[in-house]
């Protein structure tokens, strides 16, 4: 059974930084894609970044491009989301998710991922 554990959320002031972690376990063979999503109160869950672990290819939503960086430590089966220059509109519950196999590309659609972890709350104060 694939399990994901997201952590690293918290309260930060506008302009501050946080690093989220997503620890993945349960894959017995092959590689997988990891995506980060977020859901603000009253809004739909949307994709913000994803990474192909095998190819190192990354994608970002326009709203976070240039501020957020996704990376993967394949040895630790952990994917990180470094978030800089945070804004109040970044306030949301952040989720990580996976899909396999890793074909060298990924998308930010929630429908493209089949395993989800519990979220971690990020609050950016103004």
């Amino acid at each position: 059974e694939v399990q994901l554990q997201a952590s690293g959320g918290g309260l930060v002031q506008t302009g501050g930084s946080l690093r989220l972690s997503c620890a993945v376990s349960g894959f017995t063979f092959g590689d997988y894609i990891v995506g980060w999503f977020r859901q603000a109160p009253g809004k739909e869950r949307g994709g913000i970044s994803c990474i192909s672990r095998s190819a190192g290819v990354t994608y970002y939503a326009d709203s976070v491009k240039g501020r957020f960086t996704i990376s993967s430590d394949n040895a630790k089966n952990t994917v990180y989301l470094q978030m800089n220059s945070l804004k109040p509109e970044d306030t949301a519950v952040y989720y990580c998710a996976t899909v396999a196999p890793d074909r060298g590309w990924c998308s930010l659609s929630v429908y493209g991922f089949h395993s989800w972890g519990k979220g971690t709350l990020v609050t950016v104060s103004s």
Side-chain angles (χ1 to χ4, degrees), residues 1-35:
E1 178 186 5
V2 176
Q3 294 185 329
L4 299 91
Q5 179 65 52
S7 61
L11 174 64
V12 64
Q13 292 184 333
T14 297
S17 299
L18 282 175
R19 189 177 80 156
L20 305 184
S21 300
C22 177
V24 182
S25 62
F27 277 97
T28 56
F29 64 90
D31 216 331
Y32 51 90
I33 302 290
V34 177

Side-chain angles (χ1 to χ4, degrees), residues 1-122:
E1 178 186 5
V2 176
Q3 294 185 329
L4 299 91
Q5 179 65 52
S7 61
L11 174 64
V12 64
Q13 292 184 333
T14 297
S17 299
L18 282 175
R19 189 177 80 156
L20 305 184
S21 300
C22 177
V24 182
S25 62
F27 277 97
T28 56
F29 64 90
D31 216 331
Y32 51 90
I33 302 290
V34 177
W36 281 100
F37 300 80
R38 67 186 181 187
Q39 187 167 19
K43 295 188 177 181
E44 294 186 351
R45 188 174 303 184
I48 54 175
S49 186
C50 62
I51 184 168
S52 159
R53 286 164 22 103
S54 65
V57 174
T58 59
Y59 293 90
Y60 297 92
D62 289 343
S63 59
V64 305
K65 204 171 292 183
R67 300 188 297 124
F68 291 11
T69 302
I70 191 170
S71 61
S72 178
D73 184 334
N74 290 356
K76 294 182 178 180
N77 289 321
T78 300
V79 170
Y80 304 97
L81 185 69
Q82 178 66 43
M83 307 187 296
N84 299 328
S85 302
L86 283 162
K87 306 174 181 180
E89 50 264 44
D90 294 318
T91 295
V93 177
Y94 284 69
Y95 300 87
C96 58
T98 64
V99 63
D102 183 346
R103 301 187 191 280
W105 58 273
C106 59
S107 79
L108 299 180
S109 170
V110 297
Y111 301 107
F113 291 80
H114 58 57
S115 298
W116 293 80
K118 294 182 180 179
T120 184
L121 176 63
V122 172

